[in-house]
Amino acid sequence: MEMSEEITYENDGTFSNQQRRTGGNLFRLVFLSFGLLCVLQASLNISLRFTLYKTGDTEDILKNLTEERDELKRKLAVFPKYSRQGWEHFSGSYYYISSSKKSWQDSRSDCQQRDPDLLIINSKEEQEFIRRFQKPIWIGLTDRDTEGVWKWVDGSPLTTRFWTSGEPNSYQGRNEDCALTNYHNYEDSWNDAVCDNENFWVCEKNMSH
């Protein structure tokens, strides 16, 4: 027999104390699991380093291990911050999905105030992850500096691309210098658009940076 947990509410529509405790326990469990994975990774790295570099420079090995330890501490500190603020995690990055619409520049400014920048799509898997939100979304891609030369907001050139057939095209001579991804039933869903148009947007915090 399937068992389900009944969600109860207080008179004012908020979650009961029991539900809040359940949510808190779930968050602690996820955080502890993440921490345990980091500790296991660090332990494995230490074992491998000393196994592979028994005859190497001990000082260099310890320096590298210290740097890896500091990086793990940074990730552990950031994890609860973004998780509690409603960001979604996927493949080493955190994503903030807007609930309102803004121009491309205002969308980017919002992201920068939150610490990261507009979304940069680097793989087919990341493109599929974004498409599941089922709405047109500004991405951090523009050719405003040089017409026809598309670059990401971090200055990197466009290599992996998912343009819809016939895009980008500056439709009917309009100055379409900013890119967005639409929700379609096919993978290639990008098109260029007028930067002053208002759309939803996604901020990305890459944890490797």
Side-chain angles (χ1 to χ4, degrees), residues 47-157:
S47 300
L48 289 174
R49 295 285 179 128
F50 280 108
T51 300
L52 296 174
Y53 300 104
K54 285 181 179 179
T55 59
D57 189 332
T58 303
E59 184 177 340
D60 287 342
I61 295 173
L62 291 175
K63 179 183 177 181
N64 290 334
L65 290 174
T66 300
E67 291 174 352
E68 290 178 5
R69 179 204 62 192
D70 292 342
E71 177 65 12
L72 288 172
K73 283 183 177 180
R74 184 183 69 84
K75 289 182 178 180
L76 282 172
V78 170
F79 178 78
K81 170 187 173 182
Y82 287 103
S83 295
R84 286 172 180 162
Q85 292 176 0
W87 293 58
E88 295 205 26
H89 182 265
F90 175 77
S91 188
S93 290
Y94 279 92
Y95 300 84
Y96 169 81
I97 299 88
S98 76
S99 57
S100 59
K101 296 181 178 181
K102 292 184 177 182
S103 67
W104 188 89
Q105 186 57 57
D106 287 345
S107 298
R108 186 182 185 192
S109 296
D110 178 87
C111 289
Q112 291 173 327
Q113 290 173 7
R114 299 172 189 272
D115 180 39
D117 211 325
L118 277 173
L119 165 71
I120 295 176
I121 298 177
N122 294 311
S123 66
K124 175 181 177 181
E125 291 74 20
E126 191 172 24
Q127 168 73 358
E128 288 300 311
F129 169 74
I130 296 303
R131 285 180 62 241
R132 73 185 181 90
F133 296 113
Q134 303 186 13
K135 52 188 177 183
I137 292 171
W138 284 128
I139 59 178
L141 184 65
T142 179
D143 70 342
R144 292 193 301 179
D145 291 340
T146 304
E147 182 66 27
V149 179
W150 291 88
K151 290 185 178 181
W152 294 105
V153 288
D154 66 353
S156 60

